[in-house]
Amino acid sequence: MSQASIPLQEQEKTKILKAYKKLISSCLPFTNEEERKLIREAFELSNKAHKGMRRKSGELYIFHPLAVAQIIIDEIGLYDYTSVICALIHDVVEDTDITLDEIQRKFGLTVRQIVDGLTKVSGVFDSTANKQAESLRKMLITMSYDIRVALIKIADRLHNMRTLDSMRQEQQLKISVETKALYAPLAHRLGLYPIKSELEDLALKYTEPQVYNEIARKLKETQADRDTYIQDFIKPIKQKMEEIGIDCKITGRVKSISSIYEKMLKQHVTFEEVYDIFAIRIVIDPKDKDERGVCWRAYAAITLTYTPHPNRLRDWISSPKANGYESLHTTVMGPGGKWVEVQIRTKRMDYIAERGLASHYMYKDKNSEAQKESLQEKWLNSIRDLLENKQINGQDFFSVVTSNLVAEQIYVFTPKGDLIELPVGATAIDFAYAIHTDIGNHAIGAKVNHKTVSLNYELSNGDHVEILTAKNQKPNIKWLEFAKTIKAKTKIKEATRIERQALIEKGKLLFQRKAKSLNVSDNHPIIKKLLEEFDLNNLDDFYFLLGSHRLSTQKLNDFINKNLKYLQSSTSKLEIGELPSPSPSELINPEDVDLDSMTIKDADLNATVKTGKCCNPIPGDDIIGISDPIEGIVIHRLHCLQVVKTINQDPDRVIKTKWSTGNLVEFLTSIRITGYDRMGMLNDIVRTISMVMRINIRSITIDVQDDMFEGVIKFYVRNIKELNQVITLLKNISGVLTVERT
Ligand code: MN
């Protein structure tokens, strides 16, 4: 990166000074004189250390740290002088003679630690997954010590991606792949949406330049038409908002190139066929504290002007995303029969959506009493705990971290009212280990919402959890069956290692004997299916299950025999794409059918449920239920021939289903609700179903006429009892007149 020292041109000096002055004036609102003096020192140190160094583009190196510091303020919104200092000197230890001790002497321990964290993170991944995982481990540990390390690292990566043009093509590819795989998900997890989109777009630009350029060109060509359309679309909404006294800003936003491309791939459509190239965003300045109420009122007003799509209401204001994102999304029919996505949120929600974690960080800083860690910090801590454990091998680890970046979370409360973030499906033992390893190790049971439960109790959003402990209790190898978090699993494995190892060896022996007779090797496709079937992470976990007799050899035999046949008879026969004659084009493809219309009928709700022998669906497969007067409800894979046949011949028998927890199946159901319209009515209905019953709503359509409303709500239930409970609760809402199955 460095070259022989080249004398500074006057011009360049002026340019550096200009950039520095801009930075200092951006710092004015949140720094005092003392702090600005330190920022100046950091700049001077960096300028001196990088003196004469140029980037591949020929630009003086100092412009890079200056740009990173500017991104920290302008785009990440981290108004923190320490972060500005660290951004300015983030590359000096790695690239120059300056040492960490010198930095500590000048700027203190915190700055040293952050810069150290940024320095260790160096180099580009090799293509082998193992090495990649090891670099990732190293990098994330350092990030997790101080959240600012992650934020500065993202700013650094963003500037590097913006200036990637001058790098060699091979480097461009490597850096882009890494950005797409790691930094974009990380920015997403930290709630930095605009940065996430830009990182993805830039990565696409270098990994698939033709695709990128083609979409960019088409966006440009269609821009004028789009702008006109957006203006026409917005006009009546604006009027309506004024009428009902909602103060808001309405804009049209084009989606990112990478997200358009993703849609084209996912939905197998061309650019022209992607209906949501742009979205309308309504940012409300609420007059009172009822932020949700005003969002729902705006929603009601919009859907009075434009008809909403029955299946596209996304409510992240009742239950925000794990990264803090709050917004209400709906899709409505705009002029000319075009579907248009509308996002509704308040100014506060918008700020969080744009700035993500940084906004929480600032909030925390300003409220000295709010000493609690943010959820993201807790998440980073949990990653650190995990990374510092040597038991996990590189491969495991990579899948763990990347899945951790996007996994859906639940939030539960400690007795003191602290919020703990856990993955969906977590049990009391996971909670115990999340609090403290000691508590986990000595746990004997738990109280959830004041009721005593066992350690395998599955927690739900909002539960209050208290762990019961006993001095003599020791971790039990059986806990591994229901521990979900990596932290709990690792700690239990650690504590029961010797016992476990013996059982693994035993299981391995058992399996090898079996495998030999069947001619199945360790990397046979059936192994993958087997791990999926029994929800296992790796082969050791499988051997352990077998060795401890928790999985009987009989069950294993059955599974292998059933699936070997299935694998040998080749899956392709079951796939729609390879249907034998008659010509496939004459049949309706399950994917082309409005599956949401296929809800469960009264008569079927108490029927028994079986899985189809023809296609052997397992949890995770897309599934469809077929009602049969003798067999009850039979579950098939979406592409099973049986499904295709039934959809074509007897569609009334088809029921939309999905997997729920514990290998159970949920059925799509539909109710009609009528009543008097009032403020907050929709909100009450939605809250009753999604928050009280914790049931996921599939869709809501509400028609309001004069003072009355009529709506159809579709959601998944496991059984008739659950459905009747929902109906009773809805009937109790004030203003609701009738609730009935459709
Ligand atoms: Mn850098």
Side-chain angles (χ1 to χ4, degrees):
M1 221 168 270
S2 69
Q3 283 181 12
S5 137
I6 295 166
L8 279 188
Q9 302 291 318
E10 267 323 294
Q11 236 180 335
E12 284 184 322
K13 261 192 198 162
T14 324
K15 221 179 135 199
I16 295 172
L17 216 62
K18 212 177 140 198
Y20 169 70
K21 274 186 181 155
K22 186 181 173 205
L23 180 69
I24 280 293
S25 68
S26 306
C27 292
L28 273 176
F30 62 91
T31 52
N32 59 35
E33 211 171 307
E34 189 99 333
E35 291 163 347
R36 282 194 296 278
K37 221 183 107 201
L38 283 167
I39 293 174
R40 186 189 177 93
E41 274 176 38
F43 163 69
E44 277 167 356
L45 174 82
S46 183
N47 195 21
K48 218 170 124 194
H50 292 299
K51 194 167 184 164
M53 289 167 71
R54 286 177 190 272
R55 306 184 86 211
K56 284 253 161 59
S57 60
E59 193 181 53
L60 279 170
Y61 198 86
I62 185 67
F63 287 113
H64 168 64
L66 276 168
V68 174
Q70 197 71 48
I71 290 172
I72 282 290
I73 300 168
D74 292 352
E75 295 178 60
I76 298 190
L78 194 54
Y79 304 133
D80 166 53
Y81 81 96
T82 307
S83 301
V84 174
I85 290 173
C86 295
L88 283 170
I89 58 176
H90 77 269
D91 277 329
V92 298
V93 176
E94 202 165 293
D95 298 344
T96 78
D97 302 334
I98 310 277
T99 64
L100 284 168
D101 287 339
E102 269 176 270
I103 285 174
Q104 184 172 355
R105 241 175 283 131
K106 274 202 159 81
F107 304 107
L109 184 62
T110 307
V111 171
R112 179 204 171 110
Q113 283 166 341
I114 295 176
V115 172
D116 187 24
L118 291 162
T119 303
K120 277 186 196 152
V121 181
S122 71
V124 171
F125 294 158
D126 265 340
S127 51
T128 59
N130 245 330
K131 245 197 161 163
Q132 193 169 338
E134 285 307 317
S135 322
L136 183 57
R137 180 209 295 263
K138 199 172 123 199
M139 181 172 74
L140 287 177
I141 289 177
T142 54
M143 277 183 182
S144 60
Y145 283 108
D146 190 316
I147 193 73
R148 290 172 291 192
V149 178
L151 295 169
I152 297 168
K153 190 65 207 162
I154 287 173
D156 182 29
R157 175 54 59 117
L158 181 61
H159 186 247
N160 285 337
M161 285 301 289
R162 282 175 180 169
T163 52
L164 202 58
D165 255 340
S166 45
M167 299 291 265
R168 273 183 298 124
Q169 202 194 352
E170 193 194 311
Q171 287 290 90
Q172 288 177 343
L173 266 179
K174 269 188 176 180
I175 294 174
S176 295
V177 168
E178 192 191 58
T179 298
K180 164 93 179 133
L182 183 61
Y183 289 93
L186 189 63
H188 188 186
R189 187 59 180 74
L190 298 179
L192 298 161
Y193 282 95
I195 291 183
K196 172 223 167 205
S197 295
E198 189 178 346
L199 287 174
E200 281 177 347
D201 274 11
L202 287 165
L204 185 68
K205 184 175 157 191
Y206 292 101
T207 50
E208 307 218 36
Q210 279 145 347
V211 170
Y212 179 90
N213 290 331
E214 178 74 1
I215 297 176
R217 183 178 64 80
K218 285 186 169 163
L219 276 177
K220 215 168 170 190
E221 277 172 15
T222 50
Q223 192 183 338
D225 285 351
R226 197 165 43 241
D227 287 347
T228 318
Y229 187 89
I230 289 174
Q231 285 320 311
D232 290 350
F233 180 90
I234 288 177
K235 217 171 147 196
I237 303 185
K238 239 183 198 152
Q239 260 170 14
K240 193 124 235 157
M241 293 296 170
E242 268 165 34
E243 271 169 40
I244 58 174
I246 291 181
D247 190 3
C248 63
K249 229 187 186 155
I250 310 179
T251 50
R253 305 174 141 258
V254 178
K255 298 230 166 132
S256 71
I257 292 180
S258 54
S259 71
I260 292 171
Y261 180 50
E262 229 163 72
K263 287 203 167 113
M264 288 164 62
L265 286 181
K266 225 193 210 156
Q267 298 161 4
H268 307 285
V269 294
T270 62
F271 174 87
E272 286 73 20
E273 290 166 326
V274 177
Y275 74 88
D276 48 357
I277 295 261
F278 64 91
I280 301 295
R281 182 170 299 167
I282 301 179
V283 178
I284 303 171
D285 193 357
K287 290 204 179 75
D288 53 42
K289 282 193 174 149
D290 185 16
E291 291 189 70
R292 285 192 203 170
V294 77
C295 288
W296 284 114
R297 269 197 293 145
Y299 170 84
I302 291 155
T303 50
L304 277 178
T305 313
Y306 299 117
T307 314
H309 189 297
N311 302 337
R312 290 186 207 275
L313 177 69
R314 297 284 179 271
D315 173 10
W316 287 301
I317 58 175
S318 305
S319 40
K321 286 190 188 180
N323 60 19
Y325 183 82
E326 294 170 72
S327 195
L328 189 61
H329 294 191
T330 178
T331 298
V332 300
M333 178 75 78
K338 265 177 90 140
W339 290 115
V340 177
E341 183 183 311
V342 182
Q343 308 170 343
I344 307 161
R345 54 175 79 154
T346 61
K347 269 171 112 173
R348 181 191 62 80
M349 297 173 186
D350 190 53
Y351 188 80
I352 291 173
E354 298 284 311
R355 298 287 171 75
L357 172 89
S359 58
H360 295 294
Y361 183 82
M362 296 318 297
Y363 175 80
K364 191 188 102 178
D365 238 14
K366 279 181 191 147
N367 292 275
S368 51
E369 49 95 27
Q371 288 292 330
K372 284 178 199 157
E373 292 173 307
S374 76
L375 289 169
Q376 279 88 351
E377 282 174 70
K378 282 190 179 163
W379 166 71
L380 282 170
N381 286 338
S382 71
I383 288 213
R384 181 174 65 229
D385 281 356
L386 166 72
L387 300 185
E388 285 179 340
N389 191 293
K390 300 282 184 299
Q391 295 253 299
I392 303 173
N393 70 38
Q395 284 281 6
D396 272 357
F397 169 75
F398 190 75
S399 59
V400 162
V401 172
T402 42
S403 68
N404 245 328
L405 285 172
V406 283
E408 289 300 320
Q409 308 291 317
I410 58 164
Y411 301 105
V412 295
F413 295 95
T414 67
K416 280 185 196 151
D418 288 338
L419 214 47
I420 299 277
E421 187 184 12
L422 292 169
V424 170
T427 57
I429 194 68
D430 293 309
F431 177 88
Y433 278 103
I435 301 282
H436 197 279
T437 304
D438 265 353
I439 296 192
N441 284 342
H442 295 108
I444 52 169
K447 273 188 172 177
V448 174
N449 306 325
H450 307 296
K451 245 175 63 196
T452 307
V453 298
S454 54
L455 289 170
N456 62 1
Y457 182 86
E458 188 177 324
L459 300 174
S460 308
N461 225 352
D463 278 347
H464 286 254
V465 190
E466 185 185 345
I467 296 297
L468 309 168
T469 57
K471 254 191 199 155
N472 300 329
Q473 174 76 328
K474 268 193 227 140
N476 188 322
I477 208 156
K478 283 189 180 141
W479 292 355
L480 288 172
E481 286 169 47
F482 49 81
K484 284 280 178 324
T485 60
I486 303 294
K487 180 172 180 187
K489 282 187 187 171
T490 336
K491 295 289 176 191
I492 298 166
K493 278 183 194 171
E494 225 173 77
T496 56
R497 188 163 41 206
I498 299 167
E499 194 183 337
R500 183 179 147 82
Q501 200 52 45
L503 292 172
I504 288 177
E505 290 305 323
K506 195 174 155 198
K508 199 170 176 177
L509 225 70
L510 274 169
F511 181 70
Q512 278 167 349
R513 242 179 263 156
K514 176 83 200 151
K516 218 172 176 181
S517 67
L518 281 170
N519 217 1
V520 170
S521 66
D522 271 10
N523 48 22
H524 192 277
I526 200 163
I527 302 290
K528 200 180 150 232
K529 206 163 165 89
L530 206 143
L531 294 183
E532 272 169 24
E533 165 85 14
F534 298 106
D535 196 17
L536 301 165
N537 287 325
N538 53 41
L539 264 177
D540 271 2
D541 286 353
F542 165 65
Y543 293 143
F544 169 70
L545 214 62
L546 200 59
S548 57
H549 298 298
R550 228 150 288 153
L551 171 65
S552 69
T553 37
Q554 186 55 46
K555 218 170 156 193
L556 179 66
N557 279 344
D558 289 351
F559 176 83
I560 290 185
N561 291 334
K562 194 171 78 182
N563 284 279
L564 267 185
K565 239 181 273 157
Y566 167 68
L567 284 170
Q568 277 155 3
S569 72
S570 128
T571 49
S572 62
K573 276 188 194 151
L574 298 169
E575 301 293 342
I576 191 79
E578 303 204 17
L579 269 184
S581 54
S583 129
S585 59
E586 284 165 32
L587 288 171
I588 306 169
N589 184 327
E591 271 177 359
D592 296 331
V593 177
D594 177 17
L595 293 172
D596 281 342
S597 66
M598 301 180 157
T599 56
I600 190 161
K601 319 282 176 303
D602 253 322
D604 287 328
L605 255 175
N606 290 318
T608 52
V609 180
K610 286 183 185 169
T611 51
K613 290 199 181 79
C614 44
C615 57
N616 292 318
I618 58 170
D621 287 342
D622 284 337
I623 48 169
I624 283 290
I626 296 180
S627 133
D628 183 299
I630 299 156
E631 298 257 45
I633 296 170
V634 186
I635 304 298
H636 295 268
R637 293 173 63 187
L638 180 60
H639 287 294
C640 174
L641 265 182
Q642 200 55 48
V643 174
V644 182
K645 249 198 235 156
T646 315
I647 281 179
N648 281 279
Q649 289 165 359
D650 201 359
D652 271 0
R653 287 174 49 209
V654 179
I655 304 154
K656 186 166 174 174
T657 52
K658 68 171 191 179
W659 293 105
S660 128
T661 46
N663 297 359
L664 293 171
V665 177
E666 290 181 356
F667 305 96
L668 189 66
T669 183
S670 168
I671 57 167
R672 174 171 289 113
I673 179 165
T674 64
Y676 300 111
D677 192 33
R678 59 167 165 80
M679 188 127 46
M681 178 56 103
L682 184 54
N683 197 6
D684 285 349
I685 294 172
V686 171
R687 194 156 39 194
T688 301
I689 301 177
S690 65
M691 295 194 47
V692 181
M693 289 297 295
R694 300 209 180 91
I695 285 174
N696 282 324
I697 297 176
R698 177 74 192 180
S699 70
I700 304 184
T701 32
I702 301 267
D703 275 329
V704 183
Q705 213 137 52
D706 303 322
D707 291 338
M708 303 293 290
F709 76 91
E710 181 180 341
V712 173
I713 308 171
K714 290 185 180 172
F715 50 88
Y716 284 97
V717 288
R718 272 188 266 203
N719 49 46
I720 187 93
K721 204 175 123 211
E722 218 171 32
L723 177 60
N724 287 336
Q725 262 177 308
V726 175
I727 291 177
T728 313
L729 282 173
L730 287 177
K731 278 183 178 162
N732 285 339
I733 294 177
S734 101
V736 169
L737 287 177
T738 64
V739 184
E740 60 197 3
R741 306 269 311 280
T742 61

